[in-house]
Amino acid sequence: MHRRRVLAWGASAGIAALLPGRAMAAADPVPVLTNWTKLTLQLVRHTATYSPPVAARAFGYLGVTGYEAVAACDPAMTSLARQLNGLTLLPSPEPGAHDAAAVLQAALSAAVAHFFANTGPSGQRAMAAMTRSLDAKVTQGLPPDVAARSAALGRAIAAHVCGWADGDGGAVVENMGFPQSYTAVDDPSAWVPTSLVRQQQAPLLPDWGNVRPFAMPAGNACALPPPPAYSEDPGSAFYAEAMEVYTVTKALTDEQALIARFWSDDPMLSSTPPGHWIFIANDLITRRQLPLAVGADLMARLGIAMADAFIGCWHDKTAYNLLRPVTYINRVIDPAWKPLLITPPFPEYPSGHSTVSGAAATALTAALGEDYTYEDFTHEREGLDGRAYGSFWQAADEAGISRLYGGIHFRSAIEQGLDQGRCIGAYSVALRTLA
């Protein structure tokens, strides 16, 4: 059992341990962080509006909430206020002792309830059960005044972050994120719907590139050069990229097919691509027994990087509005060809998997180091064995190429997406957090 981190706020800055006679039953704050993260991953999977950009947004705000709750009880940590776009100074602790586990529990329980207010009855029951269970654990043996003061601070932090989030332009998702009306562009290079579902005859979240970012200055801060010029000429670069997708997918090895499925992370069937990286980080916090401050910092930076990655990626997807491989290959090369994976309902360039994976690898590498070896058990419950990686960038590269194996993306979308993710992730890495 770990001694509680209780700070006597209002006393001298050097007092960080319990005063004599104030020892109490220990509650480790780390499981509060990891258990709420595990539940959030399940809520993403079972909440209909949680497409990958929406999920990344929630992970970003929940990461900030958890970080600020921990930072409120640790004077060695620097608040993200005035570092993130539009985030003003957060509520300060009132005089008296505060318990880190209780502050974190109150903050995360309130924030998760806010971001998943539209989840179904099963999700609502799960959130309520988690709140009751963790409330009991963090307050066991804690003086009532410390418990009340800590809970009030946690709720105030959550309310501040949630109020900030509500003004970013991405808080309301109507019609599952698909516009009610859409006018197709009359150009052979333009995106064409790839699904027969009526709702998906318009692209998902076409305005997401205008959502307020967290750490990068604007949605176009890491804008990409254009993809290869559209052409149906067999000697063109565009045709060559399409032919690569066609020939590779026609002769997939078992390993390539496994990679495509391991990183597919389809909405409603998984916790989405950003959830895949959150699972990895949360699993490492538990398995490697990372300290609370390190874990909270890691989750905040990772969530921020991925949320910004989807904003930047969608900015360029909308700007270039490029057609998908299945459309081009069926039109120009082979009308009977089908990709291994279902093509998502939005434009091609760049690859969202690649951009978010590049951003995640940038944030995780900065936090845990180059050549950090680990195993990824994200899909163990679905019957897929864990995969071992020698670095986060090895995993990111594999996540990117998985989309070519699946027939979802051209190579330029993958390579440029990884570069874009690296650029976007650098803004998260530059934040000042731990002293």
Side-chain angles (χ1 to χ4, degrees), residues 240-261 325-326 328-330 333-334 336-343 400-411 414:
E241 288 207 358
M243 185 56 72
E244 179 187 25
V245 175
Y246 180 68
T247 56
V248 168
T249 57
K250 293 281 283 185
L252 282 179
T253 66
D254 290 343
E255 174 70 1
Q256 289 171 332
L258 174 61
I259 288 171
R261 297 193 185 283
V326 66
Y328 183 91
I329 293 172
N330 288 167
I333 299 173
D334 181 353
W337 178 82
K338 293 182 180 179
L340 176 67
L341 303 179
I342 297 172
T343 299
I401 200 64
S402 76
R403 305 310 271 172
L404 192 152
Y405 297 156
I408 302 297
H409 279 295
F410 300 120
R411 182 173 292 276
I414 294 166

mmCIF file of all heavy atoms in Angstrom, residues 240-261 325-326 328-330 333-334 336-343 400-411 414:
data_model
loop_
_atom_site.group_PDB
_atom_site.id
_atom_site.type_symbol
_atom_site.label_atom_id
_atom_site.label_comp_id
_atom_site.label_asym_id
_atom_site.label_seq_id
_atom_site.Cartn_x
_atom_site.Cartn_y
_atom_site.Cartn_z
ATOM 1 N N ALA A 240 0.781 4.892 -60.433
ATOM 2 C CA ALA A 240 1.729 3.980 -59.789
ATOM 3 C C ALA A 240 1.341 3.710 -58.339
ATOM 4 O O ALA A 240 1.447 2.562 -57.858
ATOM 5 C CB ALA A 240 3.139 4.562 -59.867
ATOM 6 N N GLU A 241 0.886 4.740 -57.638
ATOM 7 C CA GLU A 241 0.461 4.529 -56.251
ATOM 8 C C GLU A 241 -0.762 3.627 -56.183
ATOM 9 O O GLU A 241 -0.878 2.766 -55.309
ATOM 10 C CB GLU A 241 0.183 5.867 -55.567
ATOM 11 C CG GLU A 241 1.436 6.664 -55.255
ATOM 12 C CD GLU A 241 1.264 7.594 -54.066
ATOM 13 O OE1 GLU A 241 0.153 7.646 -53.494
ATOM 14 O OE2 GLU A 241 2.242 8.257 -53.699
ATOM 15 N N ALA A 242 -1.698 3.832 -57.099
ATOM 16 C CA ALA A 242 -2.888 2.987 -57.126
ATOM 17 C C ALA A 242 -2.531 1.542 -57.479
ATOM 18 O O ALA A 242 -3.056 0.589 -56.879
ATOM 19 C CB ALA A 242 -3.889 3.542 -58.133
ATOM 20 N N MET A 243 -1.626 1.381 -58.420
ATOM 21 C CA MET A 243 -1.209 0.038 -58.804
ATOM 22 C C MET A 243 -0.502 -0.669 -57.654
ATOM 23 O O MET A 243 -0.624 -1.891 -57.487
ATOM 24 C CB MET A 243 -0.307 0.106 -60.033
ATOM 25 C CG MET A 243 0.095 -1.263 -60.579
ATOM 26 S SD MET A 243 -1.321 -2.347 -60.985
ATOM 27 C CE MET A 243 -1.939 -1.516 -62.465
ATOM 28 N N GLU A 244 0.239 0.090 -56.839
ATOM 29 C CA GLU A 244 0.880 -0.522 -55.674
ATOM 30 C C GLU A 244 -0.173 -1.085 -54.729
ATOM 31 O O GLU A 244 -0.054 -2.226 -54.250
ATOM 32 C CB GLU A 244 1.756 0.489 -54.932
ATOM 33 C CG GLU A 244 2.426 -0.107 -53.707
ATOM 34 C CD GLU A 244 3.161 0.910 -52.853
ATOM 35 O OE1 GLU A 244 2.798 2.098 -52.892
ATOM 36 O OE2 GLU A 244 4.100 0.506 -52.139
ATOM 37 N N VAL A 245 -1.209 -0.302 -54.422
ATOM 38 C CA VAL A 245 -2.276 -0.795 -53.552
ATOM 39 C C VAL A 245 -2.905 -2.047 -54.157
ATOM 40 O O VAL A 245 -3.138 -3.056 -53.467
ATOM 41 C CB VAL A 245 -3.342 0.295 -53.333
ATOM 42 C CG1 VAL A 245 -4.522 -0.250 -52.529
ATOM 43 C CG2 VAL A 245 -2.744 1.514 -52.625
ATOM 44 N N TYR A 246 -3.165 -2.005 -55.441
ATOM 45 C CA TYR A 246 -3.825 -3.118 -56.121
ATOM 46 C C TYR A 246 -2.977 -4.385 -56.064
ATOM 47 O O TYR A 246 -3.465 -5.464 -55.679
ATOM 48 C CB TYR A 246 -4.091 -2.722 -57.573
ATOM 49 C CG TYR A 246 -4.767 -3.794 -58.398
ATOM 50 C CD1 TYR A 246 -6.086 -4.163 -58.142
ATOM 51 C CD2 TYR A 246 -4.077 -4.430 -59.431
ATOM 52 C CE1 TYR A 246 -6.708 -5.144 -58.913
ATOM 53 C CE2 TYR A 246 -4.689 -5.408 -60.196
ATOM 54 C CZ TYR A 246 -6.007 -5.760 -59.930
ATOM 55 O OH TYR A 246 -6.624 -6.726 -60.704
ATOM 56 N N THR A 247 -1.711 -4.287 -56.424
ATOM 57 C CA THR A 247 -0.864 -5.481 -56.475
ATOM 58 C C THR A 247 -0.551 -6.030 -55.083
ATOM 59 O O THR A 247 -0.531 -7.254 -54.880
ATOM 60 C CB THR A 247 0.450 -5.180 -57.221
ATOM 61 O OG1 THR A 247 1.115 -4.078 -56.606
ATOM 62 C CG2 THR A 247 0.173 -4.854 -58.678
ATOM 63 N N VAL A 248 -0.324 -5.149 -54.126
ATOM 64 C CA VAL A 248 -0.035 -5.615 -52.761
ATOM 65 C C VAL A 248 -1.242 -6.338 -52.179
ATOM 66 O O VAL A 248 -1.114 -7.420 -51.590
ATOM 67 C CB VAL A 248 0.397 -4.436 -51.867
ATOM 68 C CG1 VAL A 248 0.414 -4.865 -50.395
ATOM 69 C CG2 VAL A 248 1.780 -3.929 -52.265
ATOM 70 N N THR A 249 -2.411 -5.754 -52.325
ATOM 71 C CA THR A 249 -3.601 -6.357 -51.720
ATOM 72 C C THR A 249 -4.032 -7.634 -52.425
ATOM 73 O O THR A 249 -4.696 -8.481 -51.819
ATOM 74 C CB THR A 249 -4.772 -5.370 -51.715
ATOM 75 O OG1 THR A 249 -5.036 -4.923 -53.057
ATOM 76 C CG2 THR A 249 -4.468 -4.163 -50.835
ATOM 77 N N LYS A 250 -3.650 -7.784 -53.675
ATOM 78 C CA LYS A 250 -3.984 -9.021 -54.397
ATOM 79 C C LYS A 250 -3.113 -10.192 -53.973
ATOM 80 O O LYS A 250 -3.438 -11.347 -54.254
ATOM 81 C CB LYS A 250 -3.824 -8.800 -55.909
ATOM 82 C CG LYS A 250 -4.817 -7.836 -56.523
ATOM 83 C CD LYS A 250 -6.176 -8.478 -56.748
ATOM 84 C CE LYS A 250 -6.136 -9.368 -57.977
ATOM 85 N NZ LYS A 250 -7.491 -9.917 -58.305
ATOM 86 N N ALA A 251 -2.001 -9.895 -53.286
ATOM 87 C CA ALA A 251 -1.076 -10.960 -52.891
ATOM 88 C C ALA A 251 -0.638 -10.798 -51.438
ATOM 89 O O ALA A 251 0.538 -10.996 -51.097
ATOM 90 C CB ALA A 251 0.140 -10.964 -53.820
ATOM 91 N N LEU A 252 -1.566 -10.436 -50.566
ATOM 92 C CA LEU A 252 -1.234 -10.221 -49.159
ATOM 93 C C LEU A 252 -0.693 -11.492 -48.509
ATOM 94 O O LEU A 252 -1.248 -12.579 -48.685
ATOM 95 C CB LEU A 252 -2.470 -9.762 -48.388
ATOM 96 C CG LEU A 252 -2.921 -8.319 -48.508
ATOM 97 C CD1 LEU A 252 -4.184 -8.104 -47.671
ATOM 98 C CD2 LEU A 252 -1.826 -7.353 -48.072
ATOM 99 N N THR A 253 0.360 -11.335 -47.730
ATOM 100 C CA THR A 253 0.818 -12.431 -46.886
ATOM 101 C C THR A 253 -0.064 -12.503 -45.648
ATOM 102 O O THR A 253 -0.816 -11.565 -45.327
ATOM 103 C CB THR A 253 2.271 -12.211 -46.454
ATOM 104 O OG1 THR A 253 2.332 -11.063 -45.590
ATOM 105 C CG2 THR A 253 3.170 -11.991 -47.666
ATOM 106 N N ASP A 254 0.031 -13.615 -44.928
ATOM 107 C CA ASP A 254 -0.734 -13.745 -43.683
ATOM 108 C C ASP A 254 -0.345 -12.651 -42.695
ATOM 109 O O ASP A 254 -1.193 -12.103 -41.982
ATOM 110 C CB ASP A 254 -0.503 -15.116 -43.060
ATOM 111 C CG ASP A 254 -1.138 -16.240 -43.854
ATOM 112 O OD1 ASP A 254 -2.018 -15.949 -44.701
ATOM 113 O OD2 ASP A 254 -0.755 -17.413 -43.644
ATOM 114 N N GLU A 255 0.948 -12.322 -42.641
ATOM 115 C CA GLU A 255 1.419 -11.293 -41.717
ATOM 116 C C GLU A 255 0.865 -9.921 -42.094
ATOM 117 O O GLU A 255 0.450 -9.141 -41.226
ATOM 118 C CB GLU A 255 2.947 -11.269 -41.700
ATOM 119 C CG GLU A 255 3.572 -10.142 -40.871
ATOM 120 C CD GLU A 255 3.396 -10.298 -39.375
ATOM 121 O OE1 GLU A 255 2.793 -11.311 -38.934
ATOM 122 O OE2 GLU A 255 3.855 -9.425 -38.630
ATOM 123 N N GLN A 256 0.848 -9.611 -43.376
ATOM 124 C CA GLN A 256 0.304 -8.330 -43.815
ATOM 125 C C GLN A 256 -1.183 -8.217 -43.507
ATOM 126 O O GLN A 256 -1.655 -7.166 -43.063
ATOM 127 C CB GLN A 256 0.568 -8.145 -45.302
ATOM 128 C CG GLN A 256 2.023 -7.887 -45.643
ATOM 129 C CD GLN A 256 2.282 -7.920 -47.134
ATOM 130 O OE1 GLN A 256 1.581 -8.598 -47.893
ATOM 131 N NE2 GLN A 256 3.304 -7.193 -47.588
ATOM 132 N N ALA A 257 -1.916 -9.280 -43.711
ATOM 133 C CA ALA A 257 -3.348 -9.267 -43.394
ATOM 134 C C ALA A 257 -3.570 -9.108 -41.898
ATOM 135 O O ALA A 257 -4.475 -8.388 -41.458
ATOM 136 C CB ALA A 257 -4.005 -10.548 -43.898
ATOM 137 N N LEU A 258 -2.719 -9.760 -41.083
ATOM 138 C CA LEU A 258 -2.824 -9.627 -39.634
ATOM 139 C C LEU A 258 -2.550 -8.191 -39.206
ATOM 140 O O LEU A 258 -3.264 -7.638 -38.358
ATOM 141 C CB LEU A 258 -1.841 -10.582 -38.954
ATOM 142 C CG LEU A 258 -1.734 -10.463 -37.425
ATOM 143 C CD1 LEU A 258 -3.077 -10.753 -36.771
ATOM 144 C CD2 LEU A 258 -0.660 -11.416 -36.894
ATOM 145 N N ILE A 259 -1.529 -7.576 -39.796
ATOM 146 C CA ILE A 259 -1.210 -6.188 -39.467
ATOM 147 C C ILE A 259 -2.378 -5.277 -39.814
ATOM 148 O O ILE A 259 -2.737 -4.379 -39.040
ATOM 149 C CB ILE A 259 0.075 -5.756 -40.203
ATOM 150 C CG1 ILE A 259 1.294 -6.443 -39.581
ATOM 151 C CG2 ILE A 259 0.252 -4.238 -40.163
ATOM 152 C CD1 ILE A 259 2.563 -6.262 -40.365
ATOM 153 N N ALA A 260 -2.990 -5.493 -40.963
ATOM 154 C CA ALA A 260 -4.142 -4.671 -41.364
ATOM 155 C C ALA A 260 -5.264 -4.778 -40.348
ATOM 156 O O ALA A 260 -5.888 -3.772 -39.971
ATOM 157 C CB ALA A 260 -4.629 -5.086 -42.745
ATOM 158 N N ARG A 261 -5.526 -5.972 -39.877
ATOM 159 C CA ARG A 261 -6.635 -6.162 -38.936
ATOM 160 C C ARG A 261 -6.259 -5.691 -37.528
ATOM 161 O O ARG A 261 -7.107 -5.178 -36.795
ATOM 162 C CB ARG A 261 -7.058 -7.626 -38.925
ATOM 163 C CG ARG A 261 -7.595 -8.101 -40.276
ATOM 164 C CD ARG A 261 -8.286 -9.446 -40.175
ATOM 165 N NE ARG A 261 -8.697 -9.948 -41.489
ATOM 166 C CZ ARG A 261 -9.756 -9.512 -42.163
ATOM 167 N NH1 ARG A 261 -10.507 -8.553 -41.654
ATOM 168 N NH2 ARG A 261 -10.063 -10.027 -43.336
ATOM 169 N N PRO A 325 -8.647 4.846 -52.786
ATOM 170 C CA PRO A 325 -8.147 3.819 -53.703
ATOM 171 C C PRO A 325 -9.244 2.973 -54.341
ATOM 172 O O PRO A 325 -9.176 2.673 -55.535
ATOM 173 C CB PRO A 325 -7.238 2.970 -52.808
ATOM 174 C CG PRO A 325 -6.725 3.930 -51.792
ATOM 175 C CD PRO A 325 -7.889 4.844 -51.514
ATOM 176 N N VAL A 326 -10.264 2.586 -53.557
ATOM 177 C CA VAL A 326 -11.303 1.723 -54.124
ATOM 178 C C VAL A 326 -12.015 2.403 -55.281
ATOM 179 O O VAL A 326 -12.363 1.758 -56.288
ATOM 180 C CB VAL A 326 -12.296 1.265 -53.029
ATOM 181 C CG1 VAL A 326 -13.092 2.433 -52.462
ATOM 182 C CG2 VAL A 326 -13.221 0.185 -53.572
ATOM 183 N N TYR A 328 -10.766 4.797 -57.355
ATOM 184 C CA TYR A 328 -9.858 4.889 -58.507
ATOM 185 C C TYR A 328 -9.610 3.519 -59.134
ATOM 186 O O TYR A 328 -9.674 3.367 -60.362
ATOM 187 C CB TYR A 328 -8.536 5.507 -58.073
ATOM 188 C CG TYR A 328 -7.559 5.716 -59.214
ATOM 189 C CD1 TYR A 328 -7.538 6.904 -59.924
ATOM 190 C CD2 TYR A 328 -6.652 4.715 -59.570
ATOM 191 C CE1 TYR A 328 -6.637 7.105 -60.975
ATOM 192 C CE2 TYR A 328 -5.747 4.892 -60.612
ATOM 193 C CZ TYR A 328 -5.748 6.097 -61.308
ATOM 194 O OH TYR A 328 -4.866 6.276 -62.344
ATOM 195 N N ILE A 329 -9.315 2.520 -58.303
ATOM 196 C CA ILE A 329 -8.993 1.196 -58.845
ATOM 197 C C ILE A 329 -10.188 0.607 -59.585
ATOM 198 O O ILE A 329 -10.041 0.021 -60.670
ATOM 199 C CB ILE A 329 -8.494 0.273 -57.718
ATOM 200 C CG1 ILE A 329 -7.135 0.773 -57.201
ATOM 201 C CG2 ILE A 329 -8.384 -1.171 -58.207
ATOM 202 C CD1 ILE A 329 -6.633 0.053 -55.962
ATOM 203 N N ASN A 330 -11.384 0.742 -59.009
ATOM 204 C CA ASN A 330 -12.573 0.233 -59.701
ATOM 205 C C ASN A 330 -12.844 0.980 -61.000
ATOM 206 O O ASN A 330 -13.334 0.401 -61.972
ATOM 207 C CB ASN A 330 -13.795 0.334 -58.794
ATOM 208 C CG ASN A 330 -13.798 -0.675 -57.659
ATOM 209 O OD1 ASN A 330 -14.573 -0.556 -56.731
ATOM 210 N ND2 ASN A 330 -12.930 -1.679 -57.722
ATOM 211 N N ILE A 333 -8.571 0.518 -63.044
ATOM 212 C CA ILE A 333 -7.733 -0.691 -63.110
ATOM 213 C C ILE A 333 -8.550 -1.974 -63.143
ATOM 214 O O ILE A 333 -8.376 -2.815 -64.019
ATOM 215 C CB ILE A 333 -6.737 -0.707 -61.932
ATOM 216 C CG1 ILE A 333 -5.805 0.510 -62.007
ATOM 217 C CG2 ILE A 333 -5.929 -1.997 -61.911
ATOM 218 C CD1 ILE A 333 -4.890 0.675 -60.812
ATOM 219 N N ASP A 334 -9.424 -2.154 -62.150
ATOM 220 C CA ASP A 334 -10.156 -3.418 -62.032
ATOM 221 C C ASP A 334 -11.501 -3.152 -61.354
ATOM 222 O O ASP A 334 -11.553 -2.938 -60.142
ATOM 223 C CB ASP A 334 -9.336 -4.413 -61.212
ATOM 224 C CG ASP A 334 -10.009 -5.767 -61.061
ATOM 225 O OD1 ASP A 334 -11.175 -5.911 -61.485
ATOM 226 O OD2 ASP A 334 -9.367 -6.683 -60.499
ATOM 227 N N ALA A 336 -13.733 -5.051 -60.431
ATOM 228 C CA ALA A 336 -14.154 -6.093 -59.494
ATOM 229 C C ALA A 336 -13.335 -6.115 -58.207
ATOM 230 O O ALA A 336 -13.646 -6.865 -57.281
ATOM 231 C CB ALA A 336 -14.052 -7.462 -60.171
ATOM 232 N N TRP A 337 -12.293 -5.271 -58.123
ATOM 233 C CA TRP A 337 -11.418 -5.296 -56.945
ATOM 234 C C TRP A 337 -12.123 -4.787 -55.701
ATOM 235 O O TRP A 337 -12.901 -3.819 -55.750
ATOM 236 C CB TRP A 337 -10.184 -4.439 -57.212
ATOM 237 C CG TRP A 337 -9.237 -4.344 -56.045
ATOM 238 C CD1 TRP A 337 -8.293 -5.251 -55.689
ATOM 239 C CD2 TRP A 337 -9.143 -3.279 -55.091
ATOM 240 N NE1 TRP A 337 -7.609 -4.814 -54.569
ATOM 241 C CE2 TRP A 337 -8.112 -3.610 -54.182
ATOM 242 C CE3 TRP A 337 -9.833 -2.070 -54.926
ATOM 243 C CZ2 TRP A 337 -7.753 -2.782 -53.127
ATOM 244 C CZ3 TRP A 337 -9.489 -1.244 -53.859
ATOM 245 C CH2 TRP A 337 -8.451 -1.602 -52.968
ATOM 246 N N LYS A 338 -11.840 -5.442 -54.564
ATOM 247 C CA LYS A 338 -12.358 -5.003 -53.271
ATOM 248 C C LYS A 338 -11.218 -4.975 -52.261
ATOM 249 O O LYS A 338 -10.396 -5.899 -52.232
ATOM 250 C CB LYS A 338 -13.460 -5.941 -52.781
ATOM 251 C CG LYS A 338 -14.722 -5.920 -53.625
ATOM 252 C CD LYS A 338 -15.773 -6.845 -53.043
ATOM 253 C CE LYS A 338 -17.040 -6.829 -53.895
ATOM 254 N NZ LYS A 338 -18.079 -7.739 -53.352
ATOM 255 N N PRO A 339 -11.160 -3.956 -51.428
ATOM 256 C CA PRO A 339 -10.107 -3.911 -50.397
ATOM 257 C C PRO A 339 -10.398 -4.897 -49.279
ATOM 258 O O PRO A 339 -11.539 -5.356 -49.105
ATOM 259 C CB PRO A 339 -10.176 -2.464 -49.896
ATOM 260 C CG PRO A 339 -11.591 -2.056 -50.155
ATOM 261 C CD PRO A 339 -12.024 -2.770 -51.397
ATOM 262 N N LEU A 340 -9.368 -5.226 -48.515
ATOM 263 C CA LEU A 340 -9.539 -6.123 -47.373
ATOM 264 C C LEU A 340 -10.438 -5.501 -46.317
ATOM 265 O O LEU A 340 -11.295 -6.171 -45.730
ATOM 266 C CB LEU A 340 -8.165 -6.439 -46.762
ATOM 267 C CG LEU A 340 -8.158 -7.294 -45.486
ATOM 268 C CD1 LEU A 340 -8.647 -8.701 -45.788
ATOM 269 C CD2 LEU A 340 -6.758 -7.326 -44.871
ATOM 270 N N LEU A 341 -10.256 -4.209 -46.062
ATOM 271 C CA LEU A 341 -11.013 -3.500 -45.032
ATOM 272 C C LEU A 341 -12.057 -2.585 -45.663
ATOM 273 O O LEU A 341 -11.938 -2.192 -46.821
ATOM 274 C CB LEU A 341 -10.073 -2.664 -44.155
ATOM 275 C CG LEU A 341 -8.935 -3.422 -43.459
ATOM 276 C CD1 LEU A 341 -8.080 -2.453 -42.660
ATOM 277 C CD2 LEU A 341 -9.475 -4.532 -42.564
ATOM 278 N N ILE A 342 -13.064 -2.250 -44.887
ATOM 279 C CA ILE A 342 -14.098 -1.322 -45.336
ATOM 280 C C ILE A 342 -13.512 0.089 -45.369
ATOM 281 O O ILE A 342 -12.907 0.545 -44.394
ATOM 282 C CB ILE A 342 -15.323 -1.377 -44.418
ATOM 283 C CG1 ILE A 342 -15.959 -2.769 -44.481
ATOM 284 C CG2 ILE A 342 -16.336 -0.304 -44.796
ATOM 285 C CD1 ILE A 342 -17.066 -2.977 -43.467
ATOM 286 N N THR A 343 -13.694 0.783 -46.471
ATOM 287 C CA THR A 343 -13.163 2.135 -46.607
ATOM 288 C C THR A 343 -13.991 3.116 -45.783
ATOM 289 O O THR A 343 -15.212 3.180 -45.935
ATOM 290 C CB THR A 343 -13.167 2.566 -48.077
ATOM 291 O OG1 THR A 343 -12.332 1.663 -48.823
ATOM 292 C CG2 THR A 343 -12.637 3.981 -48.231
ATOM 293 N N GLY A 400 0.746 2.844 -39.959
ATOM 294 C CA GLY A 400 0.571 3.542 -41.222
ATOM 295 C C GLY A 400 0.467 2.587 -42.393
ATOM 296 O O GLY A 400 -0.491 2.640 -43.179
ATOM 297 N N ILE A 401 1.416 1.678 -42.533
ATOM 298 C CA ILE A 401 1.420 0.775 -43.690
ATOM 299 C C ILE A 401 0.255 -0.196 -43.632
ATOM 300 O O ILE A 401 -0.150 -0.756 -44.674
ATOM 301 C CB ILE A 401 2.768 0.021 -43.787
ATOM 302 C CG1 ILE A 401 2.980 -0.521 -45.217
ATOM 303 C CG2 ILE A 401 2.847 -1.093 -42.763
ATOM 304 C CD1 ILE A 401 3.101 0.545 -46.269
ATOM 305 N N SER A 402 -0.315 -0.406 -42.450
ATOM 306 C CA SER A 402 -1.483 -1.289 -42.343
ATOM 307 C C SER A 402 -2.631 -0.814 -43.219
ATOM 308 O O SER A 402 -3.434 -1.617 -43.700
ATOM 309 C CB SER A 402 -1.949 -1.377 -40.881
ATOM 310 O OG SER A 402 -2.654 -0.200 -40.478
ATOM 311 N N ARG A 403 -2.690 0.498 -43.468
ATOM 312 C CA ARG A 403 -3.784 1.033 -44.270
ATOM 313 C C ARG A 403 -3.594 0.754 -45.760
ATOM 314 O O ARG A 403 -4.568 0.671 -46.511
ATOM 315 C CB ARG A 403 -3.946 2.525 -44.007
ATOM 316 C CG ARG A 403 -4.136 2.878 -42.543
ATOM 317 C CD ARG A 403 -5.212 2.056 -41.882
ATOM 318 N NE ARG A 403 -6.528 2.690 -42.003
ATOM 319 C CZ ARG A 403 -7.667 2.107 -41.636
ATOM 320 N NH1 ARG A 403 -7.655 0.876 -41.170
ATOM 321 N NH2 ARG A 403 -8.810 2.750 -41.769
ATOM 322 N N LEU A 404 -2.344 0.627 -46.179
ATOM 323 C CA LEU A 404 -2.105 0.190 -47.554
ATOM 324 C C LEU A 404 -2.456 -1.290 -47.691
ATOM 325 O O LEU A 404 -3.105 -1.695 -48.666
ATOM 326 C CB LEU A 404 -0.652 0.446 -47.948
ATOM 327 C CG LEU A 404 -0.322 0.301 -49.451
ATOM 328 C CD1 LEU A 404 0.857 1.197 -49.823
ATOM 329 C CD2 LEU A 404 0.000 -1.139 -49.833
ATOM 330 N N TYR A 405 -2.041 -2.103 -46.707
ATOM 331 C CA TYR A 405 -2.392 -3.520 -46.739
ATOM 332 C C TYR A 405 -3.913 -3.712 -46.754
ATOM 333 O O TYR A 405 -4.421 -4.633 -47.395
ATOM 334 C CB TYR A 405 -1.817 -4.252 -45.524
ATOM 335 C CG TYR A 405 -0.313 -4.256 -45.436
ATOM 336 C CD1 TYR A 405 0.327 -4.427 -44.208
ATOM 337 C CD2 TYR A 405 0.491 -4.103 -46.566
ATOM 338 C CE1 TYR A 405 1.707 -4.448 -44.108
ATOM 339 C CE2 TYR A 405 1.874 -4.109 -46.477
ATOM 340 C CZ TYR A 405 2.480 -4.275 -45.241
ATOM 341 O OH TYR A 405 3.852 -4.281 -45.138
ATOM 342 N N GLY A 406 -4.615 -2.855 -46.044
ATOM 343 C CA GLY A 406 -6.068 -2.962 -45.997
ATOM 344 C C GLY A 406 -6.770 -2.393 -47.210
ATOM 345 O O GLY A 406 -7.994 -2.517 -47.340
ATOM 346 N N GLY A 407 -5.999 -1.749 -48.113
ATOM 347 C CA GLY A 407 -6.591 -1.154 -49.303
ATOM 348 C C GLY A 407 -7.281 0.161 -49.049
ATOM 349 O O GLY A 407 -8.093 0.616 -49.853
ATOM 350 N N ILE A 408 -6.928 0.805 -47.952
ATOM 351 C CA ILE A 408 -7.620 2.015 -47.514
ATOM 352 C C ILE A 408 -6.944 3.279 -48.018
ATOM 353 O O ILE A 408 -7.603 4.279 -48.308
ATOM 354 C CB ILE A 408 -7.680 2.053 -45.966
ATOM 355 C CG1 ILE A 408 -8.389 0.824 -45.435
ATOM 356 C CG2 ILE A 408 -8.343 3.324 -45.467
ATOM 357 C CD1 ILE A 408 -9.827 0.706 -45.846
ATOM 358 N N HIS A 409 -5.598 3.265 -48.134
ATOM 359 C CA HIS A 409 -4.855 4.488 -48.453
ATOM 360 C C HIS A 409 -3.744 4.235 -49.463
ATOM 361 O O HIS A 409 -3.161 3.146 -49.528
ATOM 362 C CB HIS A 409 -4.209 5.073 -47.197
ATOM 363 C CG HIS A 409 -5.144 5.880 -46.350
ATOM 364 N ND1 HIS A 409 -5.709 7.061 -46.767
ATOM 365 C CD2 HIS A 409 -5.594 5.671 -45.085
ATOM 366 C CE1 HIS A 409 -6.479 7.545 -45.807
ATOM 367 N NE2 HIS A 409 -6.430 6.727 -44.779
ATOM 368 N N PHE A 410 -3.427 5.299 -50.213
ATOM 369 C CA PHE A 410 -2.242 5.325 -51.057
ATOM 370 C C PHE A 410 -1.017 5.608 -50.181
ATOM 371 O O PHE A 410 -1.124 6.152 -49.076
ATOM 372 C CB PHE A 410 -2.356 6.426 -52.123
ATOM 373 C CG PHE A 410 -3.522 6.266 -53.051
ATOM 374 C CD1 PHE A 410 -4.497 7.258 -53.135
ATOM 375 C CD2 PHE A 410 -3.643 5.141 -53.852
ATOM 376 C CE1 PHE A 410 -5.569 7.133 -54.010
ATOM 377 C CE2 PHE A 410 -4.714 5.009 -54.726
ATOM 378 C CZ PHE A 410 -5.682 6.000 -54.809
ATOM 379 N N ARG A 411 0.158 5.276 -50.702
ATOM 380 C CA ARG A 411 1.391 5.443 -49.931
ATOM 381 C C ARG A 411 1.644 6.903 -49.548
ATOM 382 O O ARG A 411 2.107 7.194 -48.444
ATOM 383 C CB ARG A 411 2.592 4.872 -50.688
ATOM 384 C CG ARG A 411 3.898 4.968 -49.917
ATOM 385 C CD ARG A 411 5.029 4.254 -50.612
ATOM 386 N NE ARG A 411 4.848 2.811 -50.616
ATOM 387 C CZ ARG A 411 5.210 2.011 -49.602
ATOM 388 N NH1 ARG A 411 5.755 2.528 -48.502
ATOM 389 N NH2 ARG A 411 5.029 0.712 -49.690
ATOM 390 N N ILE A 414 -0.003 7.923 -46.433
ATOM 391 C CA ILE A 414 0.612 7.314 -45.253
ATOM 392 C C ILE A 414 1.886 8.054 -44.859
ATOM 393 O O ILE A 414 2.055 8.458 -43.694
ATOM 394 C CB ILE A 414 0.901 5.823 -45.533
ATOM 395 C CG1 ILE A 414 -0.412 5.063 -45.715
ATOM 396 C CG2 ILE A 414 1.748 5.212 -44.422
ATOM 397 C CD1 ILE A 414 -0.243 3.688 -46.328
#
